[in-house]
Amino acid sequence: MPTTIHDLTRTTDDVVIVGGGLAGLFCALKLAPRPVTLISAAPLGRGASSAWAQGGIAAAVGEGDSPEAHAADTVAVGAGLVDEAVALGIAREAAPRIHDLLSYGVPFDRDLEGRLAVGREAAHSARRIVHVRGDMAGAAIIAALSEAVRRAPSIRLIEGLVAEALLTEDGAVTGLQLRDVGNATARPIIIASRAVVLATGGIGHLYAVTTNPPEANGSGLAIAARAGAVIADPEFVQFHPTAIMVGRDPAPLATEALRGEGAVLINGDGERFMAARHPLAELEPRDIVARGVFAEIAAGRGAFLDAREALGSHFAEKFPTVHASCIAAGLDPATQPIPIAPAAHYHMGGIAVDERGRTSIEGLWAGGEVSSTGAHGANRLASNSLLEAVVYAARIADDIAGRAIPSPARLPEALVTPRNALIDTRAETRLRAMMSAKVGVIRDHDGLAEAVRHFATLERDAGSVALRDMATTALLVAASAFTRHESRGAHFRSDHPAEVPAFAERTMTTLAAAREVVEALIEQPARRTAQAMIA
């Protein structure tokens, strides 16, 4: 049952999970009957990117498919940075995790013979995507798990709090500082615990155009980074090539499965532009398609997803969520092309974790999009994210179940951030615009340098904890993109357009390292000025 903020126990032996998306909910259920306190910023089911996922879950459960083939596709798309052992392990655990979800009441689609129905999406060599009513997998999964969590006697649910600081002592977690989402200037609340799982989601809301909910603002990554956690691959941000541009924030998503069913990409002149660029046309990996769409828009021709011939009158039946989004905007996708643009969609980077979901901080685990397991490399294969979330949530639960968690630490005598200000909406808008313009689909040296300097200044001066978190995560992304002098997967630099073999390794960084990049950029102009004066 939900617990009000005023009922919050300040010292607990519970495992504390932060995040009400797929990873957080699944981990809480897998830990039963062990007591869990689950903290969700939004009412359960409303603030999770998982609930918006239209594609489904990739799982080699179809005839003639195999985990090895699934892993091979994952490695091929990841542009040389996928941890092959991790990819294979996740693929092999797909079937039991699908059965777990079925046991929690997720109504996956079935064929006429009662077997799980599987579809195909971009860069998969087989039909292996398990759906719910075409494009409703995420919503159906979150609804079923939310109901199971609310029924579970071992789970204490607390809604309406956001984690704004990790408490640590001697390199180990001792608790969290939390604040009421609805009252930014309220006094923070401290909860002491030696076992914390971060499942706070991604960073899409750092960008001006995104498919993610506002809660996906990088806060979990930021608080872990400020506590000293190692951050992996933050420069790799996947942009979904077909966000529906109808003036909504977040932008509705036109699922990849539409192209799998034969929908094509055209420009304003009605020309199909991807077919001339690459042999797989619309079914190329997302980074390639996103750049193709971006190029058409930049050239002033616009970009559209055309499903008139492929689906026509069957559109509403097969893809009800996309259809509803279009109709709400006065657009009939059965008879009209859908205006699209690339949008920040998924973060391959995150808090570095091992095969059990452990971070570099003792007593801190991370799962779902806030983590980086090595499964996605430089570019995520479609529908692998939900699979990774449930696989690692189960592994985290197993790891915690097999450990003796020390008694909670003493409550700290002082708050980490005793005061907070309302977020400066103009500064937030500028941050999001700069991320899209300078740290977006196409990047270069000067744009990234400008972004790094701006985010560092904002992080230092922000009076709002939420804005500071956004700036911290933006700085990590921009600084790592600045130092990777190549193009690889979703990271494309127009000044370094080729892959460089020497960079074929994952990024492992810290907030301190990102700040060193800032210091180097500050020193460069000073050196140039001094040299000019001497000359």
Side-chain angles (χ1 to χ4, degrees):
M1 293 294 293
T3 301
T4 66
I5 292 170
H6 303 293
D7 294 333
L8 181 60
T9 302
R10 291 166 58 86
T11 302
T12 179
D13 290 317
D14 290 5
V15 177
V16 177
I17 299 176
V18 185
L22 177 55
L25 297 175
F26 199 80
C27 187
L29 289 166
K30 278 290 189 178
L31 277 164
R34 186 165 190 153
V36 169
T37 294
L38 178 64
I39 297 168
S40 178
L44 218 53
R46 296 188 191 175
S49 295
S50 319
W52 298 26
Q54 295 176 6
I57 298 184
V61 294
E63 187 174 347
D65 199 7
S66 69
E68 289 72 21
H70 183 182
D73 289 346
T74 300
V75 171
V77 167
L81 297 191
V82 172
D83 185 319
E84 296 187 21
V86 167
L88 183 58
I90 290 174
R92 285 175 172 168
E93 290 179 47
R97 298 293 78 81
I98 293 293
H99 288 293
D100 283 339
L101 291 170
L102 286 167
S103 73
Y104 291 130
V106 178
F108 288 120
D109 295 342
R110 295 184 181 273
D111 61 22
L112 293 175
E113 297 179 359
R115 296 173 300 194
L116 288 170
V118 286
R120 187 177 177 188
E121 291 181 0
H124 284 275
S125 61
R127 298 180 71 88
R128 66 166 67 97
I129 314 303
V130 183
H131 294 105
V132 177
R133 289 189 59 201
D135 62 2
M136 299 182 69
I141 291 168
I142 293 299
L145 296 189
S146 295
E147 180 60 28
V149 162
R150 291 185 187 280
R151 290 196 309 263
S154 61
I155 301 172
R156 177 175 56 165
L157 173 62
I158 303 171
E159 297 165 312
L161 289 181
V162 63
E164 65 179 26
L166 269 171
L167 309 178
T168 61
E169 189 175 276
D170 298 327
V173 162
T174 57
L176 289 160
Q177 179 171 307
L178 310 162
R179 198 180 295 263
D180 184 350
V181 170
N183 188 354
T185 58
R187 181 176 174 79
I189 297 165
I190 300 295
I191 182 168
S193 174
R194 295 283 194 177
V196 173
V197 180
L198 290 181
T200 51
I203 68 167
H205 198 68
L206 297 184
Y207 287 84
V209 181
T210 180
T211 62
N212 294 175
E215 288 79 9
N217 58 13
S219 63
L221 194 154
I223 66 172
R226 282 203 299 275
V230 174
I231 307 299
D233 302 333
E235 67 268 39
F236 295 111
V237 181
Q238 186 173 75
F239 296 88
H240 198 290
T242 55
I244 304 172
M245 298 309 292
V246 288
R248 285 172 54 189
D249 180 22
L253 177 65
T255 174
E256 197 117 58
L258 282 160
R259 283 175 280 140
E261 292 294 326
V264 296
L265 296 172
I266 61 173
N267 59 27
D269 299 325
E271 298 168 339
R272 189 177 168 196
F273 55 86
M274 284 305 299
R277 291 172 178 266
H278 299 282
L280 290 179
E282 286 83 6
L283 294 182
E284 284 287 337
R286 285 178 175 175
D287 62 308
I288 295 173
V289 179
R291 288 197 291 275
V293 171
F294 183 88
E296 293 298 310
I297 295 171
R301 293 185 288 269
F304 301 83
L305 182 68
D306 187 358
R308 291 174 294 180
E309 184 175 336
L311 291 167
S313 60
H314 299 292
F315 199 114
E317 173 193 350
K318 289 198 169 185
F319 298 97
T321 304
V322 180
H323 184 265
S325 294
C326 291
I327 294 298
L331 179 74
D332 182 1
T335 60
Q336 297 172 276
I338 304 168
I340 57 166
H345 183 60
Y346 187 82
H347 193 203
M348 279 75 74
I351 306 166
V353 297
D354 66 12
E355 70 279 1
R356 293 166 293 188
R358 296 180 184 178
T359 73
S360 59
I361 299 175
E362 178 67 23
L364 178 68
W365 291 260
E369 195 172 348
V370 74
S371 69
S372 184
T373 66
H376 306 303
N379 199 30
R380 176 181 66 102
L381 181 64
S383 291
N384 266 358
S385 53
L386 297 187
L387 175 61
E388 179 199 46
V390 292
V391 166
Y392 271 79
R395 290 184 183 183
I396 291 168
D398 286 344
D399 192 47
I400 292 174
R403 290 164 57 97
I405 304 298
S407 298
R410 292 177 290 103
L411 291 166
E413 295 179 3
L415 295 167
V416 178
T417 50
R419 291 186 179 85
N420 191 23
L422 295 174
I423 196 165
D424 182 337
T425 55
R426 288 180 298 177
E428 179 187 14
T429 298
R430 186 180 177 195
L431 179 150
R432 295 181 70 192
M434 184 164 287
M435 283 292 282
S436 286
K438 309 297 184 183
V439 201
V441 176
I442 296 179
R443 306 160 174 182
D444 63 30
H445 175 280
D446 291 348
L448 289 168
E450 180 184 351
V452 167
R453 293 189 191 99
H454 177 75
F455 300 146
T457 301
L458 185 59
E459 185 199 26
R460 182 193 66 203
D461 297 340
S464 158
V465 174
L467 185 60
R468 185 186 65 178
D469 284 348
M470 294 177 74
T472 297
T473 299
L475 174 60
L476 283 158
V477 175
S480 291
F482 180 81
T483 56
R484 184 173 283 275
H485 300 158
E486 66 161 354
S487 292
R488 184 179 294 274
H491 168 71
F492 185 82
R493 296 249 326 226
S494 58
D495 52 342
H496 297 285
E499 278 190 11
V500 177
F503 281 95
E505 57 185 37
R506 298 180 66 200
T507 297
M508 293 290 167
T509 190
T510 61
L511 184 54
R515 288 172 175 156
E516 289 176 5
V517 173
V518 178
E519 292 302 316
L521 280 170
I522 292 171
E523 290 173 6
Q524 285 175 4
R527 284 199 300 268
R528 290 189 189 124
T529 301
Q531 290 168 355
M533 292 176 66
I534 293 170

